[in-house]
Amino acid sequence: MAKSQLRLQARKLRLSGLGIKVIAYKLGVSTSTSSIWCRDIALSPQQLQSLQEKAHNPYFGKRGLYLQKQKQLKEEKIKRFFQMGIAEVATLAPRELFIVGVALYWAEGFKKDSLMGFSNSDPSMVRLMVRWLKESCGVGIERLRFRLALNESYKNKAGEIQKYWQIFLGVSDQQFQKTFFQKVKWQKIYDNPDQYRGVLRIRVSRSIDLLRKMYGQIEGLRKNS
């Protein structure tokens, strides 16, 4: 395209409100050439405001493409490391499950009571502890007792939430004690209030000897610190 035609095209684009750098990029000319061709064209206040907004918008033009690419690379990296983490854990061998359970009990288990107990709000962690009690400690599922703790604002959903835990853990409703309601008003607004499951407490009946041995197992981990 001849320079005269490029100049006319540049002026037309400038009149439409495009920036000097954008025009230069579109026409394949230098920024200084684009500026000289359009220097006598005055933009409207609305066009100037639009250019200002674009100048401060990190997602406009090449910057936007660059940031989108960086975001994609970051997401791919996060996913790659996440999958690496899953692969590194893989399937727990009996010895590994035993150590994991002792460590979790050290962190979250009841230590000042006469029976073994554990409480948490993470369903997967609770189910892992139930598995640990069964496979590593030889505790039959019938010896487990559960008590749900809910904020009182979820009182009308207590039955529904308990049913969720029963199905998730594969236990009966007869193993659940009366739900405890926390009379505390929440200040924080949660993103997914419908996913609230409360805190579940596990008690193991006839477990005083297991608890005594647990103290020693925890000490064994402590000596490895």
Side-chain angles (χ1 to χ4, degrees):
M1 187 181 293
K3 275 193 174 182
S4 58
Q5 291 177 308
L6 284 173
R7 181 175 179 276
L8 290 173
Q9 186 66 20
R11 293 179 66 82
K12 183 178 179 181
L13 291 172
R14 184 60 171 172
L15 286 169
S16 72
L18 291 186
I20 295 298
K21 290 183 179 180
V22 175
I23 294 171
Y25 175 75
K26 283 181 172 292
L27 299 181
V29 299
S30 66
T31 302
S32 59
T33 298
S34 175
S35 177
I36 291 171
W37 286 346
C38 304
R39 60 188 174 187
D40 61 325
I41 297 176
L43 299 182
S44 68
Q46 293 79 6
Q47 289 174 323
L48 289 172
Q49 182 180 352
S50 177
L51 287 177
Q52 280 279 52
E53 291 173 354
K54 289 175 182 177
H56 292 89
N57 182 0
Y59 296 99
F60 178 73
K62 284 186 175 181
R63 288 170 298 174
L65 293 174
Y66 172 77
L67 291 174
Q68 288 176 5
K69 181 64 175 178
Q70 292 302 308
K71 181 181 179 182
Q72 182 182 350
L73 291 173
K74 180 181 178 181
E75 290 174 350
E76 290 174 353
K77 186 176 182 180
I78 290 172
K79 184 177 180 180
R80 185 171 68 254
F81 277 98
F82 183 77
Q83 293 301 325
M84 285 172 59
I86 293 175
E88 287 175 353
V89 173
T91 302
L92 292 176
R95 172 68 178 172
E96 293 169 335
L97 175 62
F98 167 71
I99 296 298
V100 166
V102 174
L104 285 176
Y105 198 95
W106 187 8
E108 300 287 344
F110 302 161
K111 306 173 190 71
K112 295 183 179 180
D113 298 330
S114 58
L115 297 175
M116 288 184 71
F118 179 88
S119 66
N120 205 271
S121 61
D122 186 329
S124 294
M125 186 182 292
V126 172
R127 186 161 64 180
L128 181 61
M129 286 302 291
V130 170
R131 179 190 168 193
W132 173 75
L133 286 166
K134 290 165 58 180
E135 297 181 18
S136 299
C137 302
V139 175
I141 194 74
E142 72 282 353
R143 289 173 57 189
L144 302 183
R145 296 293 179 267
F146 304 93
R147 190 178 189 189
L148 190 57
L150 299 176
N151 187 277
E152 64 177 358
S153 60
Y154 283 82
K155 202 167 187 177
N156 62 333
K157 290 189 174 184
E160 177 186 333
I161 295 174
Q162 180 177 310
K163 191 68 176 178
Y164 164 83
W165 283 103
Q166 287 176 225
I167 295 172
F168 188 77
L169 298 175
V171 296
S172 71
D173 60 345
Q174 296 179 348
Q175 292 174 262
F176 278 77
Q177 298 174 326
K178 186 178 180 180
T179 299
F180 171 75
F181 294 101
Q182 303 163 326
K183 297 182 179 180
V184 178
K185 290 185 178 180
W186 284 346
Q187 301 298 323
K188 180 180 177 180
I189 298 176
Y190 290 87
D191 294 332
N192 300 300
D194 291 340
Q195 295 180 13
Y196 173 72
R197 308 298 185 192
V199 175
L200 190 67
R201 185 190 72 177
I202 306 173
R203 284 285 198 180
V204 184
S205 64
R206 307 186 307 279
S207 59
I208 182 62
D209 289 340
L210 280 175
L211 184 61
R212 289 165 178 162
K213 186 160 63 171
M214 175 57 61
Y215 294 149
Q217 292 165 348
I218 291 173
E219 183 62 24
L221 288 185
R222 184 181 285 112
K223 287 182 179 299
N224 278 276
S225 63

